[in-house]
Amino acid sequence: MSRPSYALIDLDALASNYKKLRALHGGKAFAVLKANAYGHGAVMCATRLEPDADAFAVAFLEEALKLREANIQKPILLMEGVFDIKELRKAVKHGFWIVVHQLKQLEMIEQCASEMRGLNVWLKLETGMNRLGLNYTLASEYKERLSAIKSISKISFMTHLACAEDHESDFSIKQVERFVNATSGLDCELSVCNSAGVINAVGRNFDWARIGIAMYGVNPVRESLISLTPVMTLRSEIFTVREVKKGEVVGYGCANKVDRDSRIGIVALGYADGYPRSAMGCKVLVNGQLTKTLGAISMDMLAVDITDLKNVDIGAQVELWGGGTHVSEVAQHASMSPYELLCNVKRVDFLEFPRWRG
Ligand SMILES: *Cc1c(COP(=O)(O)O)cnc(C)c1O
């Protein structure tokens, strides 16, 4: 018997969320698999998505290499581009698509132009977020400069939205306007929208979307109607049970006193596995019944209140998040972002969901 702590990954939900979002946007879509597929397991997710996805996107070279080593054949975009010439050579060798977001990267390509073939480049334009990108007003000059390099087979343009999840803000409109003006007449494929951009319909009709968080079943836009299925269920078990008298403490911290005689279950999952310390008192499901965590979250375990629950003992199933307790609710309770919670999951077994269903 090993420690019964799992991230159950519903790959059918992943694929169906991807297809739904791709159709909503229109055109093609990168399935974004950076940070180990937002904590879901990049190889497993890529393998399931490969028949449907137009291309994948990751942050940097190592992440792409892991996918290629696992025999993923579809194009993979490096969204931070390459960091040095060694990386550029490797990226070319494996056929990765690369973002060029600063002059240094453009110069690297010029420098080894003679040794490369078939390079697919995405010029990233800075339109307001002030993170990555070349000045949008110079888009045509950069394109011209890259067009002069024979080893480049394709040039496309992208930009990234700073507050696409915000209905009220007209900032996205401004960014889209700058991007559209800067690239008009250049006859290149364009990419603007992340998940929130797709759902909020800022600039549909671009050639490519880049879909991350929503593909994993988390809707970044509040009060939107699209229904997405959560992909990850974080599950563990109660492995010991105890009775605690009113006024006694539970876990670290002498302030964590129970206010009634309680029955508590100790669960084999803690903050080192990615359940946040700040989720004290957050809702959880135990054998399908709603209750709360109790006291401080420890590194390897946490306590849940089972005083009022029926048929709960050692071996009871605990859902920390999933279909019943949405990761967005846990994130809100913990004052964290669902992106952060999902990326933090580690030290548990990653299993395909259907094996465990029913
Ligand atoms: C991570 C990332 C995305 C995906 O964003 P989501 O909000 O998860 O959909 C898209 N584009 C870029 C450049 C990114 O870094």
Side-chain angles (χ1 to χ4, degrees), residues 136-209:
Y136 69 97
T137 61
L138 302 174
S140 64
E141 290 167 41
Y142 291 124
K143 194 201 163 190
E144 224 165 274
R145 196 162 153 188
L146 278 176
S147 303
I149 306 172
K150 291 220 167 42
S151 46
I152 295 179
S153 61
K154 184 156 184 175
I155 303 168
S156 311
F157 282 99
M158 64 188 276
T159 193
H160 197 41
L161 300 171
C163 35
E165 47 287 312
D166 189 349
H167 281 297
E168 328 273 70
S169 162
D170 53 9
F171 196 73
S172 297
I173 296 169
K174 190 153 120 196
Q175 285 193 274
V176 167
E177 211 171 82
R178 287 173 168 170
F179 183 72
V180 167
N181 288 339
T183 55
S184 81
L186 296 182
D187 194 27
C188 287
E189 290 194 347
L190 305 176
S191 174
V192 173
C193 294
N194 56 3
S195 298
V198 170
I199 293 167
N200 263 342
V202 276
R204 286 202 197 146
N205 302 323
F206 289 107
D207 304 287
W208 289 81

Side-chain angles (χ1 to χ4, degrees), residues 111-146:
Q111 213 177 315
C112 20
S114 59
E115 37 177 304
M116 303 183 316
R117 278 179 281 121
L119 197 51
N120 187 316
V121 174
W122 284 79
L123 275 172
K124 181 157 184 176
L125 300 182
E126 159 51 38
T127 55
M129 183 167 179
N130 284 312
R131 196 178 61 176
L132 292 189
L134 296 154
N135 188 327
Y136 69 97
T137 61
L138 302 174
S140 64
E141 290 167 41
Y142 291 124
K143 194 201 163 190
E144 224 165 274
R145 196 162 153 188
L146 278 176

Side-chain angles (χ1 to χ4, degrees), residues 69-108:
E69 278 159 23
N71 212 21
I72 296 300
Q73 306 291 334
K74 284 272 168 79
I76 305 172
L77 174 67
L78 313 182
M79 291 193 293
E80 289 181 349
V82 293
F83 286 82
D84 55 35
I85 285 196
K86 232 171 102 186
E87 281 206 356
L88 175 60
R89 292 203 175 101
K90 272 196 194 160
V92 172
K93 180 174 151 210
H94 291 276
F96 299 144
W97 298 1
I98 57 172
V99 162
V100 167
H101 63 78
Q102 63 178 342
L103 272 182
K104 184 172 161 242
Q105 293 172 318
L106 203 157
E107 286 158 5
M108 278 189 243

Side-chain angles (χ1 to χ4, degrees), residues 99-348:
V99 162
V100 167
H101 63 78
Q102 63 178 342
L103 272 182
K104 184 172 161 242
Q105 293 172 318
L106 203 157
E107 286 158 5
M108 278 189 243
I109 296 175
E110 287 173 335
Q111 213 177 315
C112 20
S114 59
E115 37 177 304
M116 303 183 316
R117 278 179 281 121
L119 197 51
N120 187 316
V121 174
W122 284 79
L123 275 172
K124 181 157 184 176
L125 300 182
E126 159 51 38
T127 55
M129 183 167 179
N130 284 312
R131 196 178 61 176
L132 292 189
L134 296 154
N135 188 327
Y136 69 97
T137 61
L138 302 174
S140 64
E141 290 167 41
Y142 291 124
K143 194 201 163 190
E144 224 165 274
R145 196 162 153 188
L146 278 176
S147 303
I149 306 172
K150 291 220 167 42
S151 46
I152 295 179
S153 61
K154 184 156 184 175
I155 303 168
S156 311
F157 282 99
M158 64 188 276
T159 193
H160 197 41
L161 300 171
C163 35
E165 47 287 312
D166 189 349
H167 281 297
E168 328 273 70
S169 162
D170 53 9
F171 196 73
S172 297
I173 296 169
K174 190 153 120 196
Q175 285 193 274
V176 167
E177 211 171 82
R178 287 173 168 170
F179 183 72
V180 167
N181 288 339
T183 55
S184 81
L186 296 182
D187 194 27
C188 287
E189 290 194 347
L190 305 176
S191 174
V192 173
C193 294
N194 56 3
S195 298
V198 170
I199 293 167
N200 263 342
V202 276
R204 286 202 197 146
N205 302 323
F206 289 107
D207 304 287
W208 289 81
R210 305 184 305 274
I211 302 167
I213 194 77
M215 184 172 75
Y216 303 100
V218 176
N219 189 343
V221 180
R222 268 182 294 163
E223 291 156 26
S224 83
L225 292 175
I226 187 169
S227 101
L228 300 163
T229 312
V231 174
M232 183 194 291
T233 300
L234 186 63
R235 184 190 286 179
S236 187
E237 282 180 13
I238 290 177
F239 70 104
T240 189
V241 168
R242 57 203 331 108
E243 312 288 336
V244 178
K245 286 265 174 278
K246 178 178 175 181
E248 291 191 68
V249 303
V250 173
Y252 290 114
C254 291
N256 294 324
K257 292 193 172 93
V258 293
D259 55 11
R260 58 173 177 169
D261 290 355
S262 301
R263 190 163 181 254
I264 64 168
I266 306 298
V267 181
L269 196 129
Y271 64 77
D273 306 296
Y275 191 79
R277 277 196 71 212
S278 47
M280 226 162 120
C282 188
K283 78 180 222 194
V284 294
L285 291 179
V286 178
N287 281 354
Q289 302 164 75
L290 195 61
T291 183
K292 288 177 175 176
T293 71
L294 199 67
I297 312 297
S298 298
M299 188 183 287
D300 313 306
M301 56 196 124
L302 57 85
V304 290
D305 185 358
I306 55 172
T307 316
D308 301 323
L309 306 190
K310 293 184 185 68
N311 304 321
V312 168
D313 218 318
I314 290 176
Q317 298 286 306
V318 181
E319 180 185 303
L320 286 316
W321 64 65
T325 40
H326 201 280
V327 66
S328 297
E329 295 175 79
V330 180
Q332 193 168 21
H333 186 99
S335 302
M336 290 168 76
S337 94
Y339 290 80
E340 200 180 351
L341 286 195
L342 291 170
C343 288
N344 280 344
V345 173
K346 56 186 176 297
R347 222 178 58 156
V348 297

